[in-house]
Amino acid sequence: MTLSEYEARRDRKYFKSLLAEGGPERLRQEMLTSLAHQEDRPSMDVQVVKGARATNFEPEKQVQFAFLQLPDAPIEPVDGMARVAGNEARAPRVEVRNRSDRAIRYLEVGWILQDHGGREFLAGSVPAELNLAPGRRARFSRIQP
């Protein structure tokens, strides 16, 4: 189950309980509050593109990824980069190592981008279906916005 699926299930359960406890009016109030909160959130001023050319005039550059280190995670991110031009990031490449004693069949690396104001946004993910044996490394490069 992906994080977005988990969050959607959690939200449906929450809104269902509101309907059961307070009826349609309570659900409507909470939905409006939730929508207003989403509207107040700043929007992302970057865009993740899937294999398209950058249409701005800034030169493209390679940007190295910084990784969150999780000591107990079965996967260790080793290296990663993307090509960035203006407000577009594309062509990600990620290399990971399997630290566990079991094969890894699927993993997903989330993109968190920072705008010019320092705010961070989940912009997309790089999923990979693979068969990564214990102690081995793999490199993958596919994007799912």
Side-chain angles (χ1 to χ4, degrees), residues 11-19 21-38:
D11 293 347
R12 281 192 297 272
K13 184 178 177 182
Y14 172 69
F15 287 124
K16 210 175 188 181
S17 72
L18 288 176
L19 180 62
E21 292 170 9
E25 184 56 31
R26 174 72 173 116
L27 176 60
R28 187 182 77 73
Q29 288 175 344
E30 191 63 29
M31 292 293 290
L32 291 173
T33 301
S34 177
L35 290 171
H37 176 70
Q38 290 175 30

Side-chain angles (χ1 to χ4, degrees), residues 92-129:
R93 187 194 78 232
V94 179
E95 184 177 348
V96 296
R97 182 177 69 85
N98 183 353
R99 296 195 293 201
S100 74
D101 57 354
R102 297 172 53 191
I104 303 291
R105 305 226 185 280
Y106 179 85
L107 66 94
E108 193 166 338
V109 177
W111 284 56
I112 299 176
L113 301 177
Q114 191 175 67
D115 70 5
H116 295 295
R119 295 170 300 204
E120 294 181 343
F121 301 91
L122 179 59
S125 63
V126 181
E129 290 184 26

